[in-house]
Amino acid sequence: MSVRRLAENQPEAFAFTRENEAKCEEILRKYPEGREASAVIPLLWLAQKQNDYWLPKPAIEKVAQKLDMPFIRALEIATFYTMFNLAPVGRFYVQMCGTTPCLLAGSNAIKEVLLRRIGEQGKVTSDGMFSWIEVECLGACCNAPMVQINEDYYEDLTPQNFEKLLDDLAAGRPVKTGSQTGRVTSEPAGGLTSLTSLYGVDGRNGPLSTPDLNQS
Amino acid sequence: MNRLIVDGIEIDVPPEYTLLQACEQAGAEIPRFCFHERLSIAGNCRMCLVEVEGGPPKPSASCAVAVKDLRPGPNGEPPVVLTKSLMVKKAREGVMEFLLINHPLDCPICDQGGECDLQDQAMAFGFHSSRYIENKRAVEDKYIGPLVRTSMNRCIHCTRCVRFTAEVAGTGDMGATGRGEDMEITTYLETAMRSELQGNIADLCPVGALLPKPYTFKARSWELVKTESIDVMDALGSAIRIDTRGREVMRILPRINDSVNEEWISDKTREIVDGLKTKRLDRPFVRENGKLRETSWQAAFQAIAAKTGQAPPERIGAIAGDLCAVEETFALKLLMQSLGAVSLDCRQDGAKLDPSLGRASYIFNPAIAGIDEADGLMIVGSNPRKEAPVLNARIRKRWLRGGFPIGVIGEKADLTYEYNYLGAGPETLAAVAERPPAIMQKPIFLIGQGALAREDGRAILALAATAAHALGVVKEKWNGFSILHTAAARVGGLDLGFVPGQSGLDAGSLAKSGALDVLFLLGADEIAVEPGAFVVYQGTHGDRGAARADVILPGAAYTEKSGTYVNTEGRVQLADRANFPPGDAREDWAILRALSDVLGHKLPFDSLKALRACLYAVHPHLAKFDEITANDRFDIAQLAASGAAHTRAPFVSTIADFYLTNPIARASEVMAECSALAEGFAREAAE
């Protein structure tokens, strides 16, 4: 991690869309009167989502104004949490997990792909399609290695299927989220080894046929 | 009371005490950086670690552990706290080693050197050397305003400055961005701070990260002679320490006085220093053919004697300014009396306060510390943030504690706390008098000069008294009727009765063209004197008064004389002399004494001591320092009944620009810079 500063080129202004204004109201209602400042993280998050996954200065100020707090308080939050991007990111924003389980399962190979195809961390490709960053554990360790692209997880990666995934995204072809090897959620990679009878006839159905726990 | 044993000493302390306070009471010294008595507890420096026996097997941060949370021993023995054990020693050494990992070794070029908490505590509690061989981190220095210089490599992230601006100043200027090793203390994108109390963060900073900018590389702390004194920039009379080197005032720092300023002072009080050295009057002048010419004391006195000799007593008058000590005002009053003059005034702004109504009608009766116990506040015609920032911080402190409704009649300004805005002018006040809101136990009714310094000020005072009476402000054991003054000399002047006698003229009329033949201005710069009269100006700076004067007598500024000041509460305080007036300038009472001899009405004292003996004989309450003399019974109903017709003009604070309220401030470059910045902020806010 390094010192995080606001991006040099900033848009003139920021305003929540009508739907997001409504969402802001909904979020604010969750907090007692006089404690609206607690909504700073959800509101910054909403602003970031609306603004192509990065937080410009006017958005930070807007949120602070909305919550009646000094600008510096919102800036503190935005610079503290690395999930708030302070500079523009690519249309496909890849967060690659590099923590121990993923590393042991081969995330270094995934990183090489990223370095080769996209370039340095934090840099956006010239066509604006991709940027990537290495993050800490995203909690999908059984399916390591994995990346998060925008809001979706892509798991069980190998350099081959990851390259194909990037190609598909760039070409606008539909892609499969979750495991790229075809396994269902985080079941054992080689098929079910236990609870096979309880957990679906073919032993592969997983949660699609979750038994009704009230019976039996 | 809870009993505990600290280093073998048994003590009883209130349960809400922190361990740190309990240890201090037991006489143990606890090092600390982030903890400060007047700020919230952060517990992030870890320097105050102590060992708690029977507690967790690790050191505890004593600033963040309450005494009531300690558990007694198995047989009900009092909990045992150790502050000198081996565990504590090792823990402190470890903390200090970590703090010094990134702290630069630049003490020889650091202005904090010699008065640095980190230096002292590293010597007392630190490890003998560092085992760290990697690179230290480097942090960019930040611009945070014209008064505080930053050197952020030295910052140890105690967050005292952040808590001060958020809690005491109420502007929330400072913050910590980033995290971990990359955490940085800064203002929002390096904008200037907006508080009138921002200079205090340099005092709070335990290291050399935040330093007073105007004092940069000027002096070392051990070269300075320290004089305890009283501030005159506003009517609070904050306790200050004037640090001098040779004849020069180097800096002004706050002293602790819990009943007045706690331990804060305003930026004007602190950074006025350069104004004491520029635009000074250092020799007498007389005006000849429209031009001021340097002259000798004798010639200047002769010129005055020639004019006063010809003038009839009713055509002689005097106005005392805002920064005068009681002594010279008294001397001037005696001199005027001996000349037979009755047109005296100490109210340059035209405030309609009258000492004949009793002392309680013009002072801040509940006292400043009374704000802490009050349960409601009504502000009439005042902007305390500009008129007395330290008092405003006190109001904010009380407001933060809750259960303190505040109403404002007058300007709608940002006072750093929330209030109920009732209206702008006298008709709102009249409405309050008719239909008072809920009656409280200990309400304060604060009346500013904005309500009194106007043509109908006397009627407004009566109306305010009516409203205060209706609100039950004056009770058996509580008098919440408070006048907030803006001039340090004002209450003293009113105590002396430096107001027009029978058929005498007040300040406004004195300044009119053709009212007088001879007018004495004792440091009176806030009033425009129209052409006509022969004006004698005795003061310190080449400001408005000197520009109009026909004779200038150079006097001493407040750091250069021993003087008595009475603050807005009526508290009598004695200021010591820290340095000497420049050039031929003299102490003001001595000038008046010398002048009286030439005028043929020699004043009956030859020393300050003799003057004070005279003064105390007439006004015994002025001999009681640091006391507020109990008031004669205050009849608010009588004051209320004395009302007359008032206009409908809204109340406007008498202070337009906080940074430029007196001749010393107007001579200061630092204040000019602050003023320009504040103007920019105001314009920005208006857009």
Side-chain angles (χ1 to χ4, degrees):
Chain A
M1 222 173 77
S2 59
V3 175
R4 282 154 53 82
R5 293 278 154 82
L6 297 185
E8 235 168 76
N9 296 321
Q10 294 281 351
E12 279 288 299
F14 173 89
F16 280 112
T17 59
R18 190 104 65 80
E19 303 90 80
N20 281 344
E21 279 287 353
K23 271 189 196 161
C24 286
E25 293 305 312
E26 200 183 312
I27 293 167
L28 278 171
R29 270 200 298 277
K30 295 179 185 166
Y31 300 93
E33 209 186 310
R35 296 281 185 272
E36 287 84 2
S38 304
V40 63
I41 292 179
L43 256 56
L44 284 173
W45 188 241
L46 198 61
Q48 167 159 313
K49 268 191 186 171
Q50 183 188 314
N51 194 65
D52 303 330
Y53 272 92
W54 73 285
L55 266 182
K57 177 179 159 220
I60 294 172
E61 293 177 356
K62 185 85 188 174
V63 169
Q65 261 166 5
K66 224 175 166 51
L67 302 175
D68 196 20
M69 60 207 281
F71 290 168
I72 181 76
R73 292 282 100 82
L75 183 73
E76 283 178 329
I77 303 287
T79 54
F80 185 93
Y81 293 103
T82 47
M83 285 170 83
F84 290 122
N85 294 311
L86 301 178
V89 295
R91 206 179 120 218
F92 297 103
Y93 171 51
V94 183
Q95 302 180 62
M96 188 215 69
C97 174
T99 310
T100 320
C102 280
L103 184 78
L104 293 175
S107 71
N108 272 345
I110 304 298
K111 194 174 183 174
E112 270 166 33
V113 174
L114 287 165
L115 280 168
R116 196 177 68 245
R117 301 251 331 214
I118 304 177
E120 283 292 302
Q121 270 196 63
K123 294 274 182 321
V124 184
T125 50
S126 52
D127 56 1
M129 289 297 268
F130 290 100
S131 71
W132 77 281
I133 189 174
E134 182 175 336
V135 297
E136 299 306 322
C137 185
L138 289 171
C141 310
C142 333
N143 297 20
M146 61 79 68
V147 298
Q148 180 182 347
I149 301 179
N150 295 351
E151 296 197 319
D152 293 311
Y153 277 14
Y154 298 87
E155 298 146 357
D156 292 330
L157 299 175
T158 60
Q160 294 74 32
N161 67 21
F162 185 50
E163 290 230 33
K164 181 172 175 301
L165 176 69
L166 294 179
D167 287 338
D168 287 349
L169 286 169
R173 286 189 289 270
V175 293
K176 185 175 172 294
T177 60
S179 172
Q180 300 299 304
T181 55
R183 76 162 131 165
V184 177
T185 65
S186 52
E187 284 170 354
L192 291 183
T193 55
S194 55
L195 303 175
T196 46
S197 59
L198 190 67
Y199 209 51
V201 214
D202 56 356
R204 295 240 17 127
N205 285 0
L208 299 174
S209 59
T210 305
D212 187 350
L213 292 176
N214 291 330
Q215 276 180 5
S216 83
Chain B
M1 287 299 213
N2 285 22
R3 173 156 298 191
L4 70 165
I5 300 171
V6 178
D7 295 338
I9 303 166
E10 252 188 64
I11 50 160
D12 288 302
V13 291
E16 68 273 13
Y17 261 36
T18 63
L19 269 189
L20 191 143
Q21 287 172 303
C23 292
E24 291 213 314
Q25 191 169 319
E29 192 187 351
I30 308 286
R32 84 287 302 267
F33 294 110
C34 71
F35 177 80
H36 191 274
E37 287 87 347
R38 292 172 216 276
L39 302 175
S40 63
I41 292 166
N44 53 11
C45 77
R46 314 311 288 181
M47 197 61 209
C48 63
L49 296 172
V50 296
E51 183 177 355
V52 179
E53 252 178 33
K58 59 171 186 176
S60 310
S62 63
C63 73
V65 178
V67 168
K68 62 173 176 246
D69 292 338
L70 295 184
R71 274 180 299 174
N75 307 315
E77 307 98 332
V80 175
V81 177
L82 302 172
T83 71
K84 296 186 178 77
S85 66
L86 187 64
M87 182 213 265
V88 175
K89 184 173 181 294
K90 281 183 74 177
R92 285 176 183 163
E93 282 175 359
V95 168
M96 184 54 82
E97 206 180 342
F98 272 120
L99 284 175
L100 292 178
I101 276 181
N102 281 315
H103 192 83
L105 293 176
D106 59 358
C107 304
I109 57 148
C110 175
D111 270 345
Q112 189 88 354
E115 49 182 7
C116 176
D117 289 358
L118 190 62
Q119 262 185 338
D120 296 347
Q121 292 181 30
M123 286 303 291
F125 305 101
F127 194 57
H128 51 75
S129 56
S130 174
R131 291 170 285 185
Y132 187 74
I133 49 164
E134 288 80 6
N135 286 332
K136 292 183 183 235
R137 76 178 198 142
V139 186
E140 288 168 24
D141 291 346
K142 311 284 188 300
Y143 171 82
I144 60 171
L147 300 181
V148 182
R149 182 173 69 96
T150 63
S151 179
M152 297 319 280
N153 277 344
R154 298 174 187 151
C155 179
I156 58 167
H157 300 162
C158 71
T159 69
R160 276 187 187 180
C161 53
V162 178
R163 284 174 284 147
F164 176 84
T165 52
E167 294 162 15
V168 178
T171 46
D173 291 315
M174 304 285 293
T177 62
R179 60 163 145 163
E181 197 192 16
D182 300 312
M183 180 166 144
E184 293 180 299
I185 299 289
T186 179
T187 55
Y188 183 67
L189 305 177
E190 303 198 25
T191 46
M193 290 184 282
R194 299 185 179 209
S195 171
E196 290 79 10
L197 297 166
Q198 55 182 274
N200 290 301
I201 65 169
D203 288 346
L204 285 171
C205 186
V207 296
L210 305 177
L211 293 162
K213 204 180 248 177
Y215 175 69
T216 301
F217 304 141
K218 287 268 167 57
R220 304 301 265 163
S221 64
W222 55 85
E223 307 170 320
L224 302 171
V225 177
K226 295 146 181 93
T227 312
E228 301 200 338
S229 186
I230 299 297
D231 172 52
V232 298
M233 292 300 130
D234 54 36
L236 282 194
S238 301
I240 53 169
R241 194 184 89 194
I242 301 169
D243 285 5
T244 48
R245 188 177 59 191
R247 291 178 67 117
E248 197 180 359
V249 175
M250 300 308 294
R251 62 172 176 182
I252 293 174
L253 295 175
R255 275 187 296 133
I256 295 179
N257 184 350
D258 277 327
S259 38
V260 179
N261 59 320
E262 299 183 287
E263 61 178 282
W264 320 123
I265 52 173
S266 74
D267 294 340
K268 192 164 44 171
T269 303
R270 182 189 302 269
E271 300 300 358
I272 199 83
V273 173
D274 65 328
L276 289 166
K277 294 169 211 162
T278 42
K279 283 168 81 181
R280 283 303 295 270
L281 301 171
D282 57 355
R283 59 201 53 176
F285 290 85
V286 284
R287 193 177 293 277
E288 275 172 5
N289 305 323
K291 279 202 166 149
L292 287 167
R293 182 179 63 80
E294 285 178 21
T295 183
S296 67
W297 278 106
Q298 215 47 43
F301 287 160
Q302 291 300 347
I304 299 167
K307 284 285 176 185
T308 39
Q310 294 161 8
E314 67 274 12
R315 307 248 329 144
I316 298 176
I319 302 176
D322 291 348
L323 308 179
C324 305
V326 167
E327 282 81 357
E328 60 245 29
T329 317
F330 180 66
L332 182 60
K333 190 184 177 200
L334 290 191
L335 178 61
M336 284 295 134
Q337 273 175 348
S338 64
L339 290 170
V342 287
S343 298
L344 313 174
D345 209 342
C346 64
R347 304 160 303 186
Q348 286 182 86
D349 55 6
K352 299 288 184 290
L353 288 164
D354 187 352
S356 69
L357 295 169
R359 195 167 191 242
S361 73
Y362 62 85
I363 63 171
F364 199 96
N365 287 298
I368 293 164
I371 294 171
D372 296 348
E373 47 176 309
D375 59 0
L377 172 67
M378 177 77 84
I379 298 173
V380 180
S382 173
N383 178 347
R385 184 172 171 186
K386 280 189 198 165
E387 292 168 18
V390 176
L391 179 95
N392 201 51
R394 195 113 179 189
I395 296 175
R396 181 180 155 78
K397 179 176 130 189
R398 174 67 192 83
W399 172 78
L400 279 176
R401 229 168 66 208
F404 191 62
I406 300 171
V408 169
I409 302 176
E411 275 177 55
K412 198 172 187 176
D414 175 11
L415 297 179
T416 71
Y417 38 80
E418 282 166 23
Y419 55 81
N420 189 5
Y421 185 69
L422 301 171
E427 61 275 12
T428 316
L429 188 57
V432 169
E434 267 170 43
R435 286 183 304 281
I439 302 242
M440 289 151 188
Q441 294 306 308
K442 290 182 167 181
I444 290 183
F445 203 83
L446 188 155
I447 304 153
Q449 300 305 302
L452 303 169
R454 42 195 264 161
E455 275 306 309
D456 58 349
R458 183 68 184 77
I460 301 290
L461 181 64
L463 184 61
T466 315
H469 191 48
L471 278 165
V473 164
V474 182
K475 294 193 171 74
E476 189 61 36
K477 284 206 168 101
W478 176 258
N479 184 351
F481 191 76
S482 324
I483 307 288
L484 179 61
H485 288 271
T486 53
R490 190 63 51 81
V491 176
L494 292 168
D495 276 358
L496 294 176
F498 202 92
V499 289
Q502 280 249 300
S503 74
L505 302 173
D506 66 5
S509 321
L510 284 173
K512 289 254 159 39
S513 180
L516 292 176
D517 288 341
V518 179
L519 176 60
F520 281 88
L521 297 179
L522 183 60
D525 285 280
E526 317 305 319
I527 191 162
V529 181
E530 291 174 12
F534 180 82
V535 174
V536 180
Y537 176 79
Q538 177 178 337
T540 55
H541 283 73
D543 204 72
R544 289 170 203 164
R548 169 66 186 84
D550 295 293
V551 175
I552 294 175
L553 305 175
Y558 70 107
T559 60
E560 295 152 8
K561 60 192 172 196
S562 171
T564 308
Y565 296 94
V566 188
N567 79 354
T568 191
E569 319 165 88
R571 185 185 301 276
V572 182
Q573 303 190 100
L574 190 64
D576 257 343
R577 183 177 64 196
N579 63 334
F580 292 94
D584 285 345
R586 292 289 178 271
E587 287 191 35
D588 296 84
W589 75 268
I591 297 172
L592 291 163
R593 161 68 183 74
L595 175 63
S596 70
D597 204 1
V598 179
L599 296 183
H601 298 277
K602 194 165 145 185
L603 291 172
F605 38 76
D606 294 321
S607 66
L608 195 56
K609 205 174 158 197
L611 185 157
R612 286 190 176 139
C614 279
L615 175 68
Y616 300 155
V618 191
H619 303 283
H621 75 276
L622 292 176
K624 293 178 190 151
F625 297 126
D626 298 318
E627 271 182 42
I628 304 172
T629 304
N631 300 307
D632 38 343
R633 239 190 94 63
F634 176 44
D635 194 352
I636 195 165
Q638 191 195 331
L639 181 61
S642 64
H646 56 79
T647 61
R648 297 170 63 86
F651 301 133
V652 183
S653 173
T654 49
I655 292 185
D657 190 339
F658 165 72
Y659 296 101
L660 302 176
T661 53
N662 62 51
I664 309 178
R666 284 190 288 267
S668 160
E669 266 181 53
V670 180
M671 287 297 112
E673 191 182 347
C674 289
S675 166
L677 255 178
E679 203 179 304
F681 289 146
R683 215 177 308 123
E684 198 179 290
E687 272 165 15

